[in-house]
Amino acid sequence: MKKWIALLQVTLWLALWTGSSCADSAIAVGDIVFSDGSIIQAQGLSAWNEACFPAAVVAAVYEDGTFLAIGTHRSENPLPWALEGNGGEITRFSALESWIESAVEGNANQVGFGGVLDGSDSWQIICVQDEEGAKDAERHYPAFDFVNTYAEVHGLTGDVAVGWYLPSIAEVCTIYQNRETINQSLCLIHALDNAASMDGLGTNWYWSSSQSSTRDDYAWFVHYFNGYVSDCPKNFPNLHVLAVKRF
């Protein structure tokens, strides 16, 4: 009997530590990740303090139990993938290439991609291939500089501060597909504190980290107005950036 009581106590402690209830411990799209790593369902959000605040919203859950979370802030302004006139703009990063494989093109709800589907190593790949340019990301790779400095700019520390990256085109499409649930959580955070989150994903154009497989100076994007998927010049200045992290 004592053994079962002890086991129940441990289970209850774990549920409280993760911010979940015993009955609803599975991670789901729309759940809110706090700056200390705890996770709650959106409907459980009511208030927080400066020491522990909403850091991300779960955007996708994978079969292996890991999940993708999107930072609560997009880039304040549109940013180019790479600035015109530097090496990264015209360099073909073969290890970042993605291409459309499905029969339905140009629709983030239905398109399927081949090539690189996970963007978590994208910056490391750029650093290897363009070592000099990567030394000054703010100057040469503004979109990547946003995600590289995301944790510092938004006051994240510890484990939650590590591993933010520019999502692949497949991941940007996944976020678009789950946008309604994600938006509900972002809007809830924003309603409680305007400075704590963007007010939903909006209808912006969003960069991916994925290199076009047909043109050296093009990278993939998704337009969140209608889910339009295409590639465009890396120096195009009208696209915003999302930061994501795998947990």
Side-chain angles (χ1 to χ4, degrees), residues 68 108 166-177 206-209 220-222 224 242:
L68 183 74
L166 183 61
S168 71
I169 185 61
E171 290 169 325
V172 180
C173 286
T174 297
I175 295 168
Y176 177 81
Q177 292 163 10
Y206 287 110
W207 280 119
S208 79
S209 58
W220 287 96
F221 72 89
V222 179
Y224 273 37
L242 298 171

Side-chain angles (χ1 to χ4, degrees), residues 50-228:
E50 293 183 0
C52 183
F53 53 88
V57 173
V58 176
V61 180
Y62 302 108
E63 292 181 357
D64 63 0
T66 63
F67 61 92
L68 183 74
I70 178 176
T72 52
H73 301 272
R74 62 171 160 262
S75 61
E76 184 176 353
N77 299 305
L79 298 168
W81 199 97
L83 284 179
E84 184 175 0
N86 73 68
E89 181 207 0
I90 57 174
T91 298
R92 190 188 197 97
F93 296 98
S94 299
L96 295 180
E97 284 185 13
S98 292
W99 53 86
I100 291 177
E101 283 195 334
S102 73
V104 180
E105 296 187 11
N107 187 323
N109 280 319
Q110 299 173 285
V111 69
F113 279 91
V116 178
L117 305 181
D118 176 359
S120 59
D121 293 332
S122 55
W123 180 241
Q124 288 76 10
I125 290 168
I126 290 173
C127 289
V128 170
Q129 195 165 338
D130 183 18
E131 184 177 357
E132 285 302 310
K135 290 178 181 178
D136 190 352
E138 183 178 8
R139 179 181 176 187
H140 296 291
Y141 295 95
F144 290 90
D145 183 64
F146 169 77
V147 296
N148 292 345
T149 60
Y150 185 83
E152 179 181 0
V153 169
H154 294 289
L156 301 176
T157 59
D159 292 342
V160 175
V162 180
W164 292 93
Y165 66 92
L166 183 61
S168 71
I169 185 61
E171 290 169 325
V172 180
C173 286
T174 297
I175 295 168
Y176 177 81
Q177 292 163 10
N178 293 331
R179 70 193 181 285
E180 292 185 5
T181 302
I182 296 169
N183 281 340
Q184 289 174 2
S185 297
L186 289 172
C187 289
L188 175 59
I189 299 169
H190 183 81
L192 293 169
D193 182 352
N194 291 354
S197 172
M198 54 183 157
D199 187 13
L201 293 164
T203 58
N204 299 288
W205 308 59
Y206 287 110
W207 280 119
S208 79
S209 58
S210 300
Q211 164 78 45
S212 169
S213 62
T214 58
R215 295 192 58 168
D216 296 355
D217 59 341
Y218 273 45
W220 287 96
F221 72 89
V222 179
H223 189 188
Y224 273 37
F225 172 70
N226 56 8
Y228 176 68

